[in-house]
């Protein structure tokens, strides 16, 4: 572990939570999730074009959005038709002067039937509407995204692409295909600075699922399955999509975000419909809350905030309005940081604490409790250490140091924070894990194990504490330029090899991680629970190295 003194930090840009000046195409924006995405992007400053098949529904939506002074246009298009897709992209091209920053492939349909009853027509409809349209529109958008110097593609897939659900075999296959397409485009187009990710919602209340919502038994069973105890709302998905288009997500590539935590087993949809998707006309939409991209009035504890990723997280949360307490072992480093934050008028305090010590963790939480009147909204377990040695050379002391600093501290601090989070009526816990918790890396067996353990702990706490409205997620960075990995960053050969492995062609910066952590604490992430979000520029999605 590096004990170098606090490095100079570039201050985090304040306008990075805005889409002002960008252009976006969102398919299927007249209802449900698509409507919410259009509204969310437009509220963040994007000029948005959308499409739907029904002119009447589309017109009604455009009027609602124009009444809210949002910059949204639309045209009729059936995305299952190749020629209509071409026409749509020609409209977008001329409207946005050949430049598109964001493509959201949202339009989709479902046919609920047992596999043996699905006809070739059903199959073709689902493939052309869900998969072929997403593939072809991405191809057509490619030159427009390139013309901006890069951009963001988001596919709306589904948890059906990950788990078995009765009566959804073809629908699920289209979503599984899109999940894989995400990884392929993420690697192939990263060189053009085009990031590709997908968002996989659970059950969301939209016209697509309204017939399911009429089945009280089904709804009750689902509410019981979902740790947060409710169905999702369209804006729960829209917030995640918007985040994937915002600058703070710039190192997230090739990932699949779930808009809920789910056991990976089969789910029976019971006595389901045998009709095509519901075609109900557009419903009234509650406007999206404009303050939801702020942490004003919240309190946070971030461990290990004097350097690297922790420093950037403290600054990001504080810039979004949170009052933050942080800790580190070196008092000198901590004081230097606190002075900088005071100079920037950020509300940050700190105290010395070695998180590997149980008694020091208790003292830290007592300080936090008294400072924030017993209430804590956010806990970020960031402090961590690494011992990089061949497995046979790792001593029991190395093992104890890594486990107590990384895993035991995260577990114990979460326990200690629990009453303070509950006292707020809920909150957000974020663990900083690592891609080392997913993949084998030389000399990192103990470190990797500590991170793998936290990835699993994430899922357990997410399920156990959701009843208290406490969400738990992890962020798993790739290589990020911090003092922890200074010895590697100095190694030119290593950096060249890594840059080749990472589709985005660079190592990460601390603020690339901080933005994702902050998002997981913001209201738009309120239906993301039990997830491990990889922030690695697409490194572990890349099979080409
Ligand atoms: N950098 C990467 O490539 C990378 C990749 C994946 C995951 N991560 C994870 O990200 C987290 C932060 O890493 P980083 O790269 O930002 O590390 P870093 O640059 O070394 O900073 C670590 C911070 O944590 C503090 N800290 C370390 N041990 C502590 C302890 N026992 N008690 C209290 N504070 C402690 C340090 O201050 P003091 O030294 O003064 O205590 C410092 O503020 C870690 O969990 C790490 O495993 C990093």
């Amino acid at each position: 572990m590096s004990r170098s003194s606090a490095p100079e930090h570039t201050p985090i840009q304040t306008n990075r939570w805005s889409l002002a000046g960008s252009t976006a195409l969102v398919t299927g924006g007249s209802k449900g999730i698509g409507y919410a995405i259009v509204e969310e992007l437009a509220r963040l400053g994007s000029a948005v074009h959308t499409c739907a098949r029904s002119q009447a529904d589309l017109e009604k939506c455009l009027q609602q959005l124009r009444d809210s002074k949002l910059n949204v246009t639309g045209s009729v298009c059936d995305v299952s038709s190749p020629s209509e897709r071409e026409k749509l992209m020609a409209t977008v091209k001329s409207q946005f002067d050949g430049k598109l920053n964001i493509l959201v492939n949202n339009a989709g349909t479902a046919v609920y039937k047992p596999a043996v009853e699905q006809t070739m027509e059903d199959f073709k409809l689902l493939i052309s509407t869900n998969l072929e349209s997403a593939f072809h529109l991405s191809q057509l958008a490619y030159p427009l995204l390139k013309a901006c110097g890069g951009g963001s593609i988001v596919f709306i897939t589904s948890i059906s692409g990950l788990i078995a659900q009765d009566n959804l075999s073809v629908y699920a296959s289209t979503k599984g295909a899109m999940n894989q397409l995400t990884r392929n485009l993420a690697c192939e187009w990263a060189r053009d600075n085009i990031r590709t990710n997908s968002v996989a919602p659970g059950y969301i209340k939209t016209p697509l699922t309204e017939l399911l919502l009429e089945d009280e038994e089904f709804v009750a069973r689902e509410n019981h399955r979902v740790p947060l105890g409710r169905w999702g709302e369209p804006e729960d998905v829209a917030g995640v999509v918007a985040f994937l288009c915002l600058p703070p997500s710039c190192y997230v590539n090739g990932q699949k975000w779930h808009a809920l935590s789910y056991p990976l087993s089969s789910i029976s949809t019971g006595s389901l419909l045998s009709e095509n998707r519901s075609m109900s006309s557009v419903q009234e939409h509650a406007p999206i809350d404009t303050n939801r991209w702020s942490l004003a009035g919240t309190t946070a504890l971030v461990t290990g905030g004097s350097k690297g990723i922790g420093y950037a997280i403290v600054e990001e949360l504080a810039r979004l309005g949170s009052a933050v307490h942080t800790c580190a072992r070196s008092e000198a480093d901590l004081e230097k940081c606190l002075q900088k934050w005071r100079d920037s008028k950020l509300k940050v305090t700190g105290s010395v604490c070695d998180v590997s010590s149980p008694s020091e963790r208790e003292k830290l939480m007592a300080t936090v409790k008294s400072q924030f009147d017993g209430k804590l909204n956010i806990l970020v377990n960031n402090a961590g250490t690494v011992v990089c040695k061949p497995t046979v050379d790792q001593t029991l002391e190395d093992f104890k140091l890594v486990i107590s600093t990384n895993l035991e501290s995260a577990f114990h601090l979460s326990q200690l924070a629990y009453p303070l989070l509950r006292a707020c009526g809920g909150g957000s816990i974020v663990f900083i894990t690592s891609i080392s918790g997913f993949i084998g890396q030389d000399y990192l067996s103990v470190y990797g194990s500590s991170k793998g353990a936290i990835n699993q702990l994430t899922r357990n706490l997410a399920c156990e504490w959701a009843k208290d409205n406490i969400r738990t997620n992890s962020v798993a960075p790739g290589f990020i330029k911090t003092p922890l990995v200074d010895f590697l960053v100095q190694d030119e050969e290593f950096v060249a090899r890594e840059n080749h492995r990472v589709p985005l062609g660079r190592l990460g910066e601390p603020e690339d991680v901080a933005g994702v952590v902050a998002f997981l604490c913001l209201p738009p992430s309120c239906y993301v629970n039990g997830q491990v979000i990889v922030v690695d520029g697409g490194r572990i999605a890349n099979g080409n190295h």
Side-chain angles (χ1 to χ4, degrees):
M1 163 198 46
S2 157
R3 300 293 300 242
S4 64
S5 64
E8 289 311 307
H9 302 277
T10 340
I12 285 179
Q13 271 186 358
T14 42
N15 56 357
R16 68 198 214 117
W17 293 88
S18 159
L19 291 173
S22 69
T23 58
L25 169 60
V26 179
T27 61
S30 67
K31 292 183 200 147
I33 293 172
Y35 182 92
I37 295 170
V38 169
E39 185 174 342
E40 187 88 65
L41 298 183
R43 287 204 184 278
L44 285 164
S46 200
V48 186
H49 188 84
T50 189
C51 69
R53 287 168 303 176
S54 155
Q55 175 136 23
D57 284 357
L58 191 62
E59 259 317 311
K60 202 167 158 194
C61 290
L62 290 174
Q63 195 51 52
Q64 274 176 26
L65 295 161
R66 275 193 294 262
D67 290 349
S68 306
K69 307 263 176 297
L70 298 174
N71 188 357
V72 182
T73 54
S75 52
V76 171
C77 169
D78 180 342
V79 297
S80 70
S81 149
S83 62
E84 293 201 32
R85 295 193 288 257
E86 274 163 15
K87 201 170 134 219
L88 171 67
M89 201 56 75
T91 306
V92 167
K93 185 175 178 184
S94 91
Q95 185 176 328
F96 295 144
D97 295 327
K99 290 187 177 165
L100 187 67
N101 301 92
I102 295 164
L103 169 65
V104 182
N105 284 300
N106 163 73
T109 192
V111 176
Y112 300 94
K113 282 183 188 172
V116 287
E117 290 173 23
Q118 301 262 3
T119 64
M120 256 317 119
E121 278 60 49
D122 294 333
F123 184 87
K124 281 185 185 151
L125 174 74
L126 287 166
I127 294 288
S128 61
T129 309
N130 297 1
L131 177 59
E132 184 191 292
S133 77
F135 178 72
H136 190 204
L137 284 170
S138 302
Q139 281 186 318
L140 294 171
Y142 175 70
L144 284 73
L145 292 156
K146 249 186 106 172
C148 297
S152 178
I153 298 177
V154 182
F155 296 117
I156 307 303
T157 66
S158 166
I159 55 159
S160 309
L162 305 163
I163 54 172
Q165 288 175 302
D166 283 354
N167 299 316
L168 283 172
S169 54
V170 185
Y171 174 80
S173 305
T174 66
K175 298 303 185 178
M178 289 163 78
N179 286 341
Q180 181 53 35
L181 182 61
T182 302
R183 290 183 278 270
N184 282 72
L185 296 193
C187 295
E188 197 172 324
W189 291 350
R191 72 174 91 90
D192 302 303
N193 200 26
I194 298 169
R195 294 182 299 117
T196 311
N197 293 286
S198 53
V199 175
Y203 283 110
I204 307 294
K205 288 189 210 156
T206 72
L208 189 81
T209 56
E210 72 184 2
L211 288 170
L212 293 175
L213 281 161
E214 284 166 14
D215 179 344
E216 280 177 25
E217 212 179 286
F218 179 74
V219 172
R221 216 166 44 234
E222 273 307 302
N223 286 350
H224 179 71
R225 271 174 201 270
V226 176
L228 286 174
R230 66 171 177 89
W231 283 46
E233 299 290 339
E235 51 271 30
D236 296 336
V237 181
V240 182
V241 174
F243 175 66
L244 289 169
C245 304
L246 280 162
S249 72
C250 68
Y251 207 54
V252 180
N253 188 32
Q255 296 307 310
K256 170 175 40 53
W257 284 56
H258 306 181
L260 95 167
S261 77
Y262 238 93
L264 291 176
S265 60
S266 79
I267 291 178
S268 167
T269 41
S271 58
L272 278 185
L273 336 160
S274 55
E275 289 166 57
N276 283 9
R277 104 208 68 90
S278 150
M279 298 286 287
S280 70
S281 64
V282 63
Q283 83 271 50
E284 292 308 309
H285 303 276
I288 284 177
D289 178 3
T290 43
N291 299 332
R292 67 199 217 118
W293 294 88
S294 159
L295 290 173
T298 64
T299 57
L301 169 61
V302 179
T303 61
S306 67
K307 290 182 206 149
I309 294 170
Y311 182 97
I313 295 171
V314 169
E315 189 167 327
E316 188 88 65
L317 297 183
R319 285 203 186 280
L320 284 164
S322 201
V324 186
H325 188 85
T326 190
C327 70
R329 288 164 303 178
S330 155
E331 185 160 21
D333 285 356
L334 191 61
E335 250 323 306
K336 208 169 150 192
C337 293
L338 290 172
Q339 190 53 52
K340 274 196 199 151
W341 288 319
R342 275 192 292 266
D343 293 347
S344 309
K345 309 264 177 295
L346 297 174
K347 275 188 274 172
V348 186
T349 54
S351 53
V352 171
C353 168
D354 182 341
V355 298
S356 69
S357 147
S359 62
E360 293 201 31
R361 295 192 288 257
E362 275 163 13
K363 199 170 137 220
L364 171 67
M365 202 56 74
T367 306
V368 167
K369 185 174 177 184
S370 90
Q371 185 177 327
F372 295 144
D373 295 327
K375 290 188 177 164
L376 187 67
N377 300 93
I378 295 164
L379 168 65
V380 183
N381 284 299
N382 162 74
T385 195
V386 65
V387 176
C388 196
K389 278 183 189 173
T391 299
V392 288
D393 296 340
Q394 300 260 7
T395 65
L396 215 38
E397 277 60 48
D398 295 333
F399 183 90
K400 282 185 183 153
L401 174 75
V402 172
I403 295 296
S404 63
T405 309
N406 297 3
L407 176 59
E408 185 190 293
S409 79
F411 177 72
H412 190 204
L413 283 170
S414 301
Q415 281 185 319
L416 294 171
Y418 177 69
L420 284 74
L421 292 158
R422 269 188 78 179
C424 297
S428 179
I429 299 176
V430 183
F431 296 114
I432 308 302
T433 68
S434 168
I435 57 166
S436 311
F438 289 106
I439 56 170
Q441 285 176 305
D442 281 354
Y443 307 145
L444 287 177
S445 55
V446 182
Y447 178 79
S449 304
S450 74
K451 298 301 187 179
I454 303 177
N455 287 344
Q456 182 53 36
L457 181 62
T458 304
R459 290 183 278 271
N460 281 70
L461 297 193
C463 294
E464 197 172 324
W465 291 350
K467 65 174 166 355
D468 303 300
N469 200 26
I470 298 169
R471 293 181 300 116
T472 310
N473 293 286
S474 286
V475 173
F479 281 106
I480 309 294
K481 288 192 223 152
T482 72
L484 188 79
V485 292
D486 234 3
F487 65 106
L488 291 171
V489 175
Q490 304 308 328
D491 177 345
E492 280 179 24
E493 216 177 282
F494 171 84
V495 172
R497 216 168 42 236
E498 275 304 306
N499 287 350
H500 179 71
R501 276 190 169 166
V502 176
L504 285 177
R506 65 172 177 89
L507 298 187
E509 299 290 339
E511 51 273 27
D512 297 336
V513 181
V516 182
V517 174
F519 175 67
L520 290 170
C521 305
L522 280 162
S525 73
C526 68
Y527 208 54
V528 180
N529 187 30
Q531 299 306 309
V532 182
I533 310 290
V534 173
V535 185
D536 69 345
R539 187 188 189 277
I540 64 171
N542 188 2
N544 284 337
H545 56 77

